[in-house]
Amino acid sequence: MPAGAGVPYAAVSVHRAALQRLLFEYARHLGIEVRFDTKVSIYFEDVEKKKGGIKTPDGEQYEGDIVIAADGIGSRSVDLVENEGSEGEAQNSGIAIFRANYPAELAYKKPNVVDRFSKRPLPANGHMQVWSAANGYAIINTTDELINFHICRPNKAGAKERWDHKTNKNAIISYLDQDGWGPDVRDLVEACPDEALFDWKLMFRNPKPNWVSPHGYVVQLGDAAHTFLPSSGNGATQAMEDGTSLASCLHLAGKAQVPLAARVYNKLRFERTSCAQKLGFRNRDRFMAADIETLKAKQVLLGPIMGMWVTQHDAEAYVYDNYARCVDHLVMGKRFENT
């Protein structure tokens, strides 16, 4: 997506499934072993060995110079990484979301879907569209192979943190009809198999300042460190920035100073991710409060969902420019502020 046409930045739009496949294939190319369907029950660190480690429910144990907990919002690393009262219980965000991911060929049988979502030749990385209605909004990603949609609506009722709550087309279509959605999004839902439909009550946690275990051999990354609402449009990107930043810190620190590298990474990233987290709430409120009739009359768009401070950041360069000063701050107490 080139800069211009109301978008103040250049961006690459890619379906996360395709990106995950690409990263997986590259990891295999580098000779990195990837194990699936393996749960982590305990994170630990061994100060004498200067190692971090994990244990699985069946008793297997793995150790390394550093263990990166990138296992999402339910990470067991919270048992080791201390945050006194800052994380707390998951709270209701005020949003519930119908979500699905299914083969595009099922949807492209419907004329409305073809006209709206694939009339133009799709680039290899697909398209993303944001739709607003009277009382909700949708984020729709389309490629030649996959359709992915998030249909967000208010949720004032109580909520529990779970990811397996299924729903069905009738429930979603009932909501769409009541809220005045047009036939295009309705057809996307009708084409989706019921087994691919989920209804999530979105939760959030307040930003937590510490992502590092007491001795520095286990460190959190991505949603394990900072949770994002889908309306931020930036959660996966921030996780990738985390990875770039941590790798750069470890490169500069060397094997002998892994705990220091982890603390520098935490310091350089916390404020930025906290600000980016808030974008999700800002966008949620903007999408929910959109004046549809005014948008139609003026033929205007909702505009960019994030600023250049998000899209133009170079996480690697930021580490190399600030690592030494951040070390002086952490070790000697010298003044340091993130920019």
Side-chain angles (χ1 to χ4, degrees):
M1 181 189 301
V7 181
Y9 50 81
V12 176
S13 174
V14 59
H15 195 287
R16 71 175 59 203
L19 178 60
Q20 289 170 343
R21 187 182 304 117
L22 178 65
L23 294 174
F24 169 65
E25 292 297 338
Y26 185 58
R28 290 207 307 183
H29 171 73
L30 295 176
I32 298 171
E33 180 184 359
V34 179
R35 292 187 58 179
F36 294 100
D37 196 27
T38 303
K39 294 183 178 180
V40 176
S41 56
I42 296 174
Y43 285 85
F44 68 90
E45 52 188 352
D46 188 319
V47 181
E48 291 185 359
K49 291 183 179 179
K50 297 183 178 181
K51 300 284 186 182
I54 59 101
K55 294 180 181 179
T56 68
D58 57 6
E60 291 184 288
Q61 180 169 310
Y62 301 89
E63 295 180 355
D65 297 320
I66 188 169
V67 171
I68 302 169
D71 46 351
I73 193 170
S75 175
R76 299 313 312 162
S77 63
V78 298
D79 297 332
L80 182 63
V81 177
E82 299 171 353
N83 278 279
E84 294 184 5
S86 61
E87 183 179 56
E89 296 293 327
Q91 303 173 55
N92 184 5
S93 70
I95 299 175
I97 179 172
F98 295 124
R99 185 170 187 171
N101 193 66
Y102 67 98
E105 62 183 19
L106 300 177
Y108 291 154
K109 295 175 182 178
K110 292 183 173 287
N112 281 334
V113 174
V114 174
D115 290 342
R116 179 62 71 177
F117 298 104
S118 67
K119 199 166 187 178
R120 295 173 297 169
L122 285 174
N125 52 16
H127 288 299
M128 183 187 82
Q129 298 183 15
V130 178
W131 289 56
S132 279
N135 199 33
Y137 65 94
I139 301 172
I140 301 168
N141 299 285
T142 57
T143 72
D144 283 333
E145 297 179 353
L146 292 171
I147 299 285
N148 173 268
F149 64 74
H150 310 69
I151 301 174
C152 303
R153 67 203 193 279
N155 174 46
K156 296 180 180 179
K160 291 184 178 180
E161 194 170 40
R162 53 182 294 187
W163 309 104
D164 59 349
H165 191 269
K166 303 291 295 242
T167 188
N168 57 70
K169 285 181 279 194
N170 290 336
I172 302 177
I173 289 170
S174 176
Y175 159 74
L176 295 176
D177 290 345
Q178 290 175 16
D179 204 39
W181 289 78
D184 307 310
V185 177
R186 198 179 196 278
D187 280 355
L188 279 180
V189 174
E190 287 184 338
C192 182
D194 273 347
E195 59 269 22
L197 293 167
F198 291 86
D199 182 5
W200 293 349
K201 308 301 188 285
L202 294 183
M203 313 294 285
F204 78 96
R205 287 178 168 85
N206 287 320
K208 52 179 187 175
N210 181 41
W211 307 346
V212 182
S213 60
H215 299 287
Y217 295 104
V218 176
V219 61
Q220 296 171 333
L221 181 151
D223 272 358
H226 43 74
T227 58
F228 275 73
L229 295 179
S231 50
S232 69
N234 205 232
T237 300
Q238 290 301 320
M240 294 180 72
E241 283 190 12
D242 285 351
T244 300
S245 179
L246 179 57
S248 300
C249 288
L250 290 168
H251 176 244
L252 290 171
K255 187 174 180 177
Q257 293 186 315
V258 163
L260 180 59
R263 291 196 293 271
V264 172
Y265 149 76
N266 191 165
K267 178 67 178 178
L268 295 181
R269 293 291 300 161
F270 170 66
E271 290 170 302
R272 175 173 171 79
T273 56
S274 297
C275 292
Q277 278 176 285
K278 194 168 184 178
L279 274 179
F281 292 92
R282 173 182 172 273
N283 288 333
R284 175 202 64 182
D285 295 341
R286 189 158 63 105
F287 296 157
M288 288 290 192
D291 186 333
I292 305 303
E293 295 306 316
T294 299
L295 292 174
K296 286 180 179 179
K298 294 185 177 180
Q299 292 293 298
V300 295
L301 303 176
L302 283 170
I305 64 174
M306 63 192 74
M308 294 181 68
W309 69 271
V310 177
T311 61
Q312 300 301 301
H313 181 68
D314 186 330
E316 182 180 34
Y318 190 73
V319 170
Y320 286 103
D321 290 344
N322 291 282
Y323 185 87
R325 291 192 301 113
C326 190
V327 167
D328 288 344
H329 167 72
L330 293 172
V331 175
M332 295 182 287
K334 291 187 177 181
R335 182 178 176 82
F336 174 79
E337 291 184 358
N338 281 298
T339 57

